[in-house]
Amino acid sequence: MISVLLVDDQHLIRQGLKTLLELEADLEILGEAENGQEAVVMVEKLQPDVVLMDIRMPVMDGVAATREIKNKLAQTKILVLTTFDDDEYIKAALQNGAMGYLLKDTPSEELAVAIRAVYRGYTQLGPGIVKKLLTQFTPATATQTSPPPPTLAELTKREKQVLHLIATGANNREIAQKLYISEGTVKNHVTNILNRLELRDRTQAAIFANSFLSYLDEKD
């Protein structure tokens, strides 16, 4: 069972999320908080596995709360769920320890999948979020000036295809459908890619891949 704390300043949003997520047999809603300061206190008291965190809230916002929580209980996973996709919010949330950043128009079934993935240590980003990160953190001339590392050549053709799709922001299910393989096979490929390229998570893999897209295109 994955325990979850809901953090949002709107009561109706919290109730809606609770109703939807409680339909999932493996998810348990431990409690709710209406601002970041209350979230910090409740995390220390309840110690949930995952915190579903809003960004803009009174008293203490989601970024500050994420930083406080990670400083006090590093093992707690934080998944941002917000209506705001501002570059600065995304950058600040991830830099302060959030494991994912989704928008509130995410379908409930995909949100449940993201909670499970974050709980297992995977980064989860909404489709448009990846593009924003690539634009912000990847130099426009990277594909022209940076030679590919030797480890990239060690990837199989299929692993390069998976890496290319990660760069577009595709999740495991979308990659599986695109390549006509199972999600389990995709997970194995992602694990191999991260290990061979010595990358921490999918976010780093997406940024890395975007730097060498022309190389991946040539090898596909």
Side-chain angles (χ1 to χ4, degrees):
M1 185 73 73
I2 302 172
S3 58
V4 181
L5 176 68
L6 303 178
V7 185
D8 196 292
D9 62 330
Q10 297 185 51
H11 177 73
L12 288 178
I13 295 294
R14 297 198 308 273
Q15 288 302 300
L17 288 171
K18 181 178 180 180
T19 299
L20 291 171
L21 294 178
E22 283 186 336
L23 295 175
E24 304 292 332
D26 60 334
L27 301 182
E28 176 188 13
I29 308 302
L30 284 188
E32 306 171 28
E34 62 182 21
N35 59 64
Q37 187 177 81
E38 186 176 327
V40 173
V41 174
M42 294 190 70
V43 166
E44 288 189 274
K45 178 181 178 181
L46 302 176
Q47 298 193 16
D49 296 316
V50 178
V51 177
L52 206 55
M53 181 77 74
D54 192 14
I55 284 291
R56 285 192 186 176
M57 295 180 290
V59 185
M60 178 186 288
D61 66 24
V63 172
T66 295
R67 181 171 57 250
E68 288 292 320
I69 291 170
K70 296 303 289 186
N71 284 339
K72 294 181 178 182
L73 289 169
Q75 74 274 17
T76 302
K77 306 298 193 304
I78 298 175
L79 174 60
V80 172
L81 182 68
T82 181
T83 56
F84 304 101
D85 62 349
D86 305 59
D87 291 355
E88 289 305 311
Y89 281 139
I90 298 169
K91 179 180 177 181
L94 296 176
Q95 286 182 335
N96 281 283
M99 292 290 292
Y101 199 107
L102 301 177
L103 299 182
K104 286 182 178 176
D105 59 0
T106 302
S108 59
E109 62 272 15
E110 291 185 17
L111 177 58
V113 170
I115 291 173
R116 297 184 187 104
V118 165
Y119 171 71
R120 293 194 297 269
Y122 294 98
T123 301
Q124 293 291 299
L125 300 173
I129 306 303
V130 173
K131 292 181 181 179
K132 283 180 171 290
L133 284 175
L134 296 179
T135 300
Q136 189 167 2
F137 296 120
T138 305
T141 57
T143 56
Q144 301 174 359
T145 61
S146 302
T151 50
L152 187 55
E154 297 176 6
L155 298 183
T156 66
K157 179 179 179 180
R158 180 65 85 192
E159 287 169 349
K160 289 171 184 173
Q161 291 173 333
V162 171
L163 182 58
H164 197 165
L165 289 170
I166 288 175
T168 69
N171 58 35
N172 285 355
R173 181 170 58 184
E174 292 167 338
I175 293 173
Q177 292 173 346
K178 182 77 173 180
L179 300 180
Y180 301 102
I181 56 179
S182 69
E183 286 190 54
T185 300
V186 174
K187 291 178 183 178
N188 290 336
H189 284 319
V190 172
T191 298
N192 290 338
I193 290 167
L194 296 180
N195 289 338
R196 290 189 185 183
L197 300 180
E198 298 183 350
L199 301 172
R200 186 183 68 246
D201 52 38
R202 293 175 76 99
T203 303
Q204 286 193 349
I207 294 172
F208 174 93
N210 193 67
S211 298
F212 304 107
L213 279 180
S214 60
Y215 178 82
L216 293 173
D217 285 337
E218 292 172 3
K219 297 303 179 182
D220 286 346

